[in-house]
Amino acid sequence: IDDTKTMYAIKKGDTWSEWQTSNTFTGLTHNTEYIVKTKTTDKVDNSAESQELTIKTYFESISETKVYDKWLEAFKTKVW
C-alpha cells in the first residue's frame, strides 16, 4: 500500500466532506456525533473504502479529531 494514497472523509450533518490526505478534521462541535471513513488506493490503483464509523466528540471543547486507518487492519479513532 502506498500510504500517500490514503484519504479521509467526515460526514457533518447530511454532507460528506471532500476526500483529504490529512487525518485531522477541524471545526467540529463538542458532544456531537460524526461519521468517518477512509479510502485507500494501492500502487496499481485498486481502491477500497472502509466501513463507516460513528464517533462522538467529547463534552469539552476540542481542537481536532484524528482518524487512523491502515489497510486490512481494524478502523481506529482518536478524539483529542
Side-chain angles (χ1 to χ4, degrees):
I1 297 298
D2 181 354
D3 287 336
T4 61
K5 291 187 179 181
T6 300
M7 306 289 281
Y8 306 87
I10 189 166
K11 188 175 185 181
K12 296 180 180 181
D14 293 329
T15 306
W16 280 100
S17 68
E18 296 291 322
W19 288 108
Q20 62 185 46
T21 57
S22 172
N23 64 352
T24 301
F25 300 102
T26 58
L28 304 180
T29 304
H30 59 278
N31 195 32
T32 302
E33 286 188 350
Y34 295 93
I35 300 172
V36 293
K37 63 182 176 179
T38 62
K39 177 172 69 171
T40 306
T41 305
D42 65 17
K43 293 179 182 181
V44 292
D45 279 339
N46 296 312
S47 64
E49 290 184 19
S50 68
Q51 292 183 349
E52 296 176 2
L53 177 69
T54 300
I55 61 169
K56 186 172 184 177
T57 55
Y58 288 122
F59 289 101
E60 301 296 322
S61 295
I62 60 169
S63 60
E64 59 191 37
T65 299
K66 292 190 174 190
V67 178
Y68 172 76
D69 186 330
K70 201 171 174 185
W71 190 258
L72 298 178
E73 288 187 10
F75 194 87
K76 303 173 185 176
T77 62
K78 290 185 178 179
V79 179
W80 302 101

